[in-house]
Amino acid sequence: MGFSAKAAAWLFVWMIGSAPFACAAEEVSTAAYAKQIAELVNRERTSHRREELRLDAALCEAAQARAAEIAVKYSHTRPDDREFQTALDDEDISYRIAEENIGRSSSQTKPEAIMKVWMDGKAQRDNILRPQFLRLGVGVVAGSRGELYWVQLFTGP
C-alpha cells in the first residue's frame, strides 16, 4: 500500500543544515510539529547525557508513510500486516537496530504533550533515550476527523 500520491499533495520542504528533505504538511502545520518533536527528543537526550540524534530525510519519509498508515490501522504492524521495519526497507534505509514510537491525539495536542506521553511510557522513553540510536525520523498526519497521528522512527548503526 503506497501513500506517495497523498504525501506528494502535502509536500513541504525543510532545510536541515544544508540538506533539504521533504515531509508531509497539513493544515495544522504537521511539518512544523514534526520538527518540534525532533528538537524535543534531542533536548531529552542531552538532558540525560545522550548524543543528539540526526534527523534523517529517508527516515522522515518512512515515518510520514507510517503516520499515514496508523491513521488507517493504529498498530506497529502495517495495514498489509508486515512489521513496521519494512517501511525502512521500502526506503532502502540500512540499519542494524530500529524501533518505533506511535501516538494518537486530538488536533489540539501540541508536540510537547505527545512527547510527555512518550516520556511517561517506559518502552517509548527507552526508545528516545537508547544510546545505540543515531538517527531519527518523525512523521505527523492529520486524520479524517482532525485527530493527529504521530510516529518516531529510530535507527542505529
Side-chain angles (χ1 to χ4, degrees):
M1 168 180 278
F3 293 92
S4 59
K6 188 174 185 179
W10 301 328
L11 194 59
F12 181 85
V13 176
W14 281 353
M15 295 295 289
I16 298 181
S18 61
F21 73 95
C23 283
E26 295 276 344
E27 290 178 16
V28 294
S29 188
T30 56
Y33 279 6
K35 185 176 180 186
Q36 289 174 4
I37 289 289
E39 291 167 356
L40 292 166
V41 164
N42 281 329
R43 188 177 307 152
E44 287 291 344
R45 287 180 65 86
T46 57
S47 74
H48 289 86
R49 299 183 186 160
R50 304 287 195 279
E51 287 186 38
E52 289 189 1
L53 298 178
R54 181 173 59 85
L55 195 56
D56 181 272
L59 268 179
C60 183
E61 293 209 15
Q64 197 63 38
R66 287 291 298 132
E69 290 176 352
I70 67 168
V72 174
K73 178 184 177 186
Y74 189 77
S75 172
H76 291 289
T77 304
R78 300 179 76 183
D80 63 6
D81 292 325
R82 294 183 298 155
E83 295 299 317
F84 81 86
Q85 297 93 330
T86 61
L88 305 175
D89 302 333
D90 291 350
E91 294 292 330
D92 293 322
I93 297 168
S94 64
Y95 60 94
R96 284 195 1 211
I97 56 173
E99 287 294 343
E100 174 185 67
N101 287 346
I102 63 176
R104 175 176 42 203
S105 67
S106 74
S107 61
Q108 283 74 42
T109 301
K110 300 293 183 224
E112 296 82 6
I114 197 71
M115 191 66 186
K116 181 178 179 345
V117 169
W118 283 328
M119 289 304 290
D120 287 346
K122 182 179 175 3
Q124 295 83 0
R125 177 187 177 90
D126 289 349
N127 288 341
I128 291 165
L129 298 178
R130 188 170 178 178
Q132 294 87 352
F133 290 136
L134 305 173
R135 296 176 301 174
L136 171 67
V138 180
V140 185
V141 167
S144 61
R145 292 182 296 271
E147 69 279 19
L148 298 176
Y149 294 90
W150 309 78
V151 173
Q152 294 175 317
L153 290 174
F154 305 89
T155 62

